[in-house]
Amino acid sequence: MEANFLKSTFMVNASCSKRGNCRKLPWRKDTNLCNHTITTFSSHGVPRLQYKKSTGAFIYQEEATSEKVKQDDQLLKPNGTKVMTEEGIGIVRFLKGKNFLITGATGFVAKVFIEKILRTEPEVGNLYLLIRSKGNVTAEDRLKNEIINSELFRCVREAHGSNYEDFMLNKLVVVDGAVTDDDLGMEEKVAMELSEIVDVIVNSAANTTFDERYDVALDINTGGPYRLMKFAAKCTRLKLFLHVSTAFVNGQRKGRITEQSFKLGDSIARERFMSSSSAPLSTSSPSLRSSLLKLDVEGEIESALRNPVNLQDKHETQKMKEFGLEMARTYGWQDTYVFTKAMGEMAIESIKGDVPVVIVRPSVVESTSNEPFPGWMEGNRQVYITTISMMDPVILYYGKGQISCFLVNPKGVLDVVPADMVVNSMLAAMAKHGAKGKPGTHVYHVASSVTNPLIFEDLAKMLYDHFSSSPYVDYKGRKIGVPEMKLYVSWDDFSDHIWRDFMERPGNLAAKSSSKLSRRIENVLLKSVEQAKNLAKIYEPYTFYGGRFDNSNTQQLMEEMSEEERKAFGFDVVNINWKDYIINVHIPGLRSYVMKGRGTSRRP
């Protein structure tokens, strides 16, 4: 009787006094209670009740409550007396029993999101993960290899012990498909079943490469949300559609940028023209008028995807990359990635109907600050030029001695936010608006540039301090010394420094005595210089970015959380100590999970 009462009433969370020495899972419905003292917790993580099977005694622990409490946030004692909890959003309460459909599930942010849910509320319903099979690798194989076996889930593994894999396979359900396919690539029967049980849809699928082929980026970043929202309209019990975007969808806007949603056809170029020019549009040049016309999102999708994509044709690939950048800049965005992501938001807004929508816009997403442990990032991700890993290529090239300068505004801001804070904000916004279920779109910037800016020249100093005390080593085990990083605002000064830096390296100077080596070194130099210049060119819109992301909605969201929720689901970027985060958390995480310890010197 006691076991049934505990399972039905206090299943939010529990801790056995024997911890790791106890092999039983008291809150699994198929497991008997152990004989130890078990402490249960409220939805906010506060000790609430102790149960000792040997005596059958219930011991309640009082907790302070605010004067205002939500009437629906309460538990019952065995005698029927109501136990009130502190006022808050009720994040854990919302998660319990909910079924999710999650896209981009094998990606960086989505995996942190999945881990947090499973660790925080094991009694969540099922997480249906849209995963595409790749060649001979099935979607189920990818679930096991990329999620269940991931180092990220080690805390969940420790909590469930030998039952870990059973727990994961019981909670995580693979749906073979992709947002780039019609009807998401799902079988009709599967789609019908999901439409009747899904409570929340989370779209985290994206191609984050800045200069991706236009047709490829459009297909996933714009067409993906469009197809997913069409499916959402069929879901009979859907409470929320949560879309993970990026703060840089604000394109070339300047100054303090508010959390506003896009409408179909919005154009940053037109917006800037209308706010800065008093001349009528009719008097402008034909080329300017064409660039300021209403953006035809549906037309862009149709025209770009009309022909099959041939990824093997290098000429076509380069042509489509250039076309994407041209289109983005014409309409007021800095690159293909943020342009197609902005159109994705417009597509959602155009067909959402009465579906409640939350759009979370993080800035540059980097390694976790605290949870499930500090410094985690995707271990097998290549360091592409993306907003998911924007500063990592620079960190690695600098630490390895491959670059000693960069093109950047020294007084400019790199807007960075840790992945766990992004996920916590997603959960808070989801619980708030999912519980209400009211139609509308709510936008949240998860960003630091307004409330706690990271200045580029400060970052350069942090990198120098770290690699001076903990240098990389070369293939012979020799420590790689790094100079203080030079920051240039001029392309000419930057290019001159790169050439001079490469030419004056000892190995390159020695090679000049041999004509054969000299030609070989010259080719290597040309390639290295072009790589550095290409990196700077792609990053230039961000290293000289003039916008600052207002996060008033996000701050208000934090104000509505209880004290316990802020501790368990914190995302206040004001509290980040950037020097500590960069030197003691992020770079060690980069070295451990991306570099796998390669090039790391051992301290004496």
Side-chain angles (χ1 to χ4, degrees):
M1 177 179 177
E2 292 91 354
N4 291 333
F5 169 75
L6 285 168
K7 289 178 184 177
S8 62
T9 311
F10 291 96
M11 290 178 66
V12 175
N13 202 354
S15 175
C16 173
S17 60
K18 296 296 182 179
R19 298 189 179 181
N21 295 322
C22 178
R23 292 296 181 183
K24 292 192 175 184
L25 299 174
W27 306 116
R28 285 287 296 269
K29 295 181 180 179
D30 56 350
T31 306
N32 293 324
L33 284 171
C34 62
N35 292 312
H36 311 130
T37 299
I38 299 165
T39 302
T40 67
F41 298 84
S42 72
S43 61
H44 307 307
V46 178
R48 171 70 66 176
L49 169 151
Q50 282 192 345
Y51 170 73
K52 197 165 185 178
K53 188 174 182 181
S54 59
T55 62
F58 291 94
I59 304 173
Y60 291 91
Q61 299 184 13
E62 297 297 328
E63 70 176 282
T65 58
S66 59
E67 293 182 1
K68 295 181 179 180
V69 291
K70 291 186 177 179
Q71 296 301 314
D72 60 346
D73 188 8
Q74 51 193 270
L75 300 172
L76 294 177
K77 294 183 180 181
N79 61 6
T81 305
K82 292 181 179 180
V83 182
M84 310 300 291
T85 65
E86 279 194 352
E87 185 177 14
I89 293 176
I91 300 172
V92 174
R93 182 178 66 246
F94 179 81
L95 289 174
K96 186 173 182 179
K98 298 296 188 302
N99 295 318
F100 290 75
L101 173 61
I102 302 174
T103 71
T106 58
F108 179 39
V109 172
K111 284 163 72 169
V112 179
F113 179 78
I114 293 167
E115 192 279 340
K116 180 69 183 232
I117 290 178
L118 295 179
R119 179 165 46 86
T120 303
E121 178 48 285
E123 291 301 318
V124 67
N126 286 113
L127 308 185
Y128 295 90
L129 311 182
L130 192 69
I131 302 176
R132 167 180 278 173
S133 299
K134 288 186 176 181
N136 295 327
V137 182
T138 66
E140 288 77 11
D141 289 337
R142 293 189 64 195
L143 169 66
K144 180 167 286 190
N145 297 335
E146 300 178 45
I147 296 179
I148 294 178
N149 292 341
S150 172
E151 171 71 6
L152 173 66
F153 291 84
R154 74 182 185 204
C155 293
V156 181
R157 181 184 292 276
E158 290 170 1
H160 293 276
S162 60
N163 293 293
Y164 168 72
E165 190 164 322
D166 289 341
F167 170 76
M168 295 292 279
L169 292 175
N170 181 50
K171 291 297 177 182
L172 306 180
V173 181
V174 170
V175 179
D176 199 335
V179 297
T180 53
D181 295 337
D182 292 335
D183 299 321
L184 307 179
M186 296 186 294
E187 295 179 1
E188 184 177 351
K189 181 181 179 181
V190 173
M192 180 66 71
E193 291 176 354
L194 281 179
S195 68
E196 296 174 352
I197 60 175
V198 168
D199 297 292
V200 179
I201 293 177
V202 178
N203 181 38
S204 184
N207 184 309
T208 60
T209 304
F210 287 170
D211 60 344
E212 183 58 89
R213 286 179 56 126
Y214 187 44
D215 47 358
V216 172
L218 261 174
D219 198 13
I220 185 169
N221 294 340
T222 306
Y226 181 80
R227 298 181 189 100
L228 195 59
M229 181 54 80
K230 288 180 68 175
F231 174 74
K234 303 175 185 178
C235 296
T236 56
R237 54 184 275 183
L238 188 69
K239 296 170 178 60
L240 189 76
F241 184 102
L242 191 152
H243 177 66
V244 183
S245 186
T246 170
F248 293 99
V249 292
N250 289 291
Q252 297 173 356
R253 287 170 172 160
K254 305 287 185 181
R256 190 161 182 149
I257 304 169
T258 57
E259 297 154 298
Q260 297 180 356
S261 61
F262 283 106
K263 293 181 176 59
L264 192 65
D266 281 352
S267 163
I268 302 295
R270 182 183 181 90
E271 176 185 298
R272 293 180 65 188
F273 176 84
M274 299 301 289
S275 64
S276 63
S277 176
S278 59
L281 188 59
S282 58
T283 63
S284 304
S285 65
S287 60
L288 178 59
R289 288 200 301 272
S290 65
S291 70
L292 300 181
L293 292 175
K294 189 175 182 180
L295 181 57
D296 182 5
V297 177
E298 293 183 356
E300 289 302 310
I301 296 175
E302 291 176 4
S303 63
L305 305 181
R306 186 173 297 125
N307 299 316
V309 177
N310 182 6
L311 297 176
Q312 305 304 317
D313 189 330
K314 293 184 179 180
H315 176 73
E316 180 184 333
T317 293
Q318 185 59 34
K319 184 178 178 180
M320 290 303 295
K321 284 187 174 185
E322 292 173 356
F323 181 60
L325 291 172
E326 178 185 347
M327 288 294 294
R329 290 162 186 169
T330 295
Y331 285 99
W333 281 269
Q334 55 267 43
D335 55 54
T336 309
Y337 166 58
V338 296
F339 179 44
T340 54
K341 286 291 286 185
M343 287 194 288
E345 289 193 20
M346 296 178 200
I348 290 172
E349 192 68 16
S350 69
I351 63 169
K352 68 177 183 181
D354 291 333
V355 175
V357 174
V358 164
I359 297 176
V360 174
R361 294 177 181 164
S363 53
V364 178
V365 184
E366 290 292 356
S367 61
T368 57
S369 58
N370 293 298
E371 293 186 87
F373 39 85
W376 187 85
M377 62 184 74
E378 191 64 74
N380 61 354
R381 67 175 180 172
Q382 299 182 46
V383 186
Y384 291 124
I385 303 173
T386 75
T387 55
I388 297 295
S389 60
M390 197 172 86
M391 68 179 178
D392 295 344
V394 178
I395 292 174
L396 291 176
Y397 292 152
Y398 174 68
K400 293 177 179 180
Q402 296 174 354
I403 62 172
S404 60
C405 68
F406 208 65
L407 184 72
V408 61
N409 175 7
K411 302 295 183 182
V413 173
L414 176 60
D415 200 315
V416 176
V417 62
D420 49 338
M421 289 192 175
V422 175
V423 163
N424 286 342
S425 69
M426 291 167 59
L427 290 167
M430 177 186 69
K432 175 183 176 179
H433 299 290
K436 294 178 179 178
K438 295 181 180 179
T441 299
H442 304 273
V443 178
Y444 293 92
H445 285 163
V446 188
S448 57
S449 54
V450 169
T451 55
N452 187 12
L454 173 60
I455 310 302
F456 277 113
E457 63 181 3
D458 294 338
L459 174 61
K461 181 66 166 57
M462 295 172 196
L463 298 184
Y464 175 72
D465 290 344
H466 175 84
F467 288 112
S468 295
S469 60
S470 303
Y472 273 120
V473 296
D474 62 18
Y475 69 98
K476 291 185 178 181
R478 297 172 300 193
K479 294 181 180 180
I480 300 173
V482 295
E484 290 189 14
M485 182 180 283
K486 300 289 185 182
L487 305 179
Y488 293 103
V489 297
S490 163
W491 259 106
D492 290 340
D493 293 341
F494 172 67
S495 299
D496 289 345
H497 181 105
I498 292 176
W499 272 110
R500 187 170 60 253
D501 180 50
F502 278 109
M503 291 299 297
E504 292 177 354
R505 292 182 183 182
N508 297 340
L509 289 172
K512 291 181 180 180
S513 60
S514 167
S515 59
K516 288 186 178 180
L517 281 176
S518 181
R519 285 193 296 271
R520 186 183 304 170
I521 292 298
E522 184 176 353
N523 290 331
V524 172
L525 282 175
L526 283 170
K527 184 177 180 180
S528 298
V529 169
E530 286 305 311
Q531 286 179 336
K533 291 175 72 173
N534 181 60
L535 187 67
K537 183 178 180 181
I538 294 294
Y539 278 175
E540 187 176 7
Y542 299 93
T543 55
F544 291 88
Y545 193 68
R548 301 292 180 265
F549 303 119
D550 178 272
N551 62 345
S552 297
N553 291 349
T554 306
Q555 289 180 306
Q556 177 60 38
L557 186 64
M558 286 186 290
E559 291 298 319
E560 297 177 29
M561 298 168 68
S562 68
E563 182 178 349
E564 290 80 10
E565 284 178 325
R566 292 193 198 105
K567 292 177 181 178
F569 300 92
F571 49 92
D572 190 355
V573 296
V574 174
N575 294 329
I576 300 175
N577 180 318
W578 288 119
K579 184 175 182 179
D580 177 66
Y581 173 75
I582 296 296
I583 294 178
N584 299 321
V585 176
H586 182 69
I587 300 180
L590 187 64
R591 300 174 84 152
S592 296
Y593 300 109
V594 175
M595 298 303 295
K596 306 294 186 182
R598 296 187 299 272
T600 301
S601 60
R602 294 183 178 179
R603 293 185 178 180

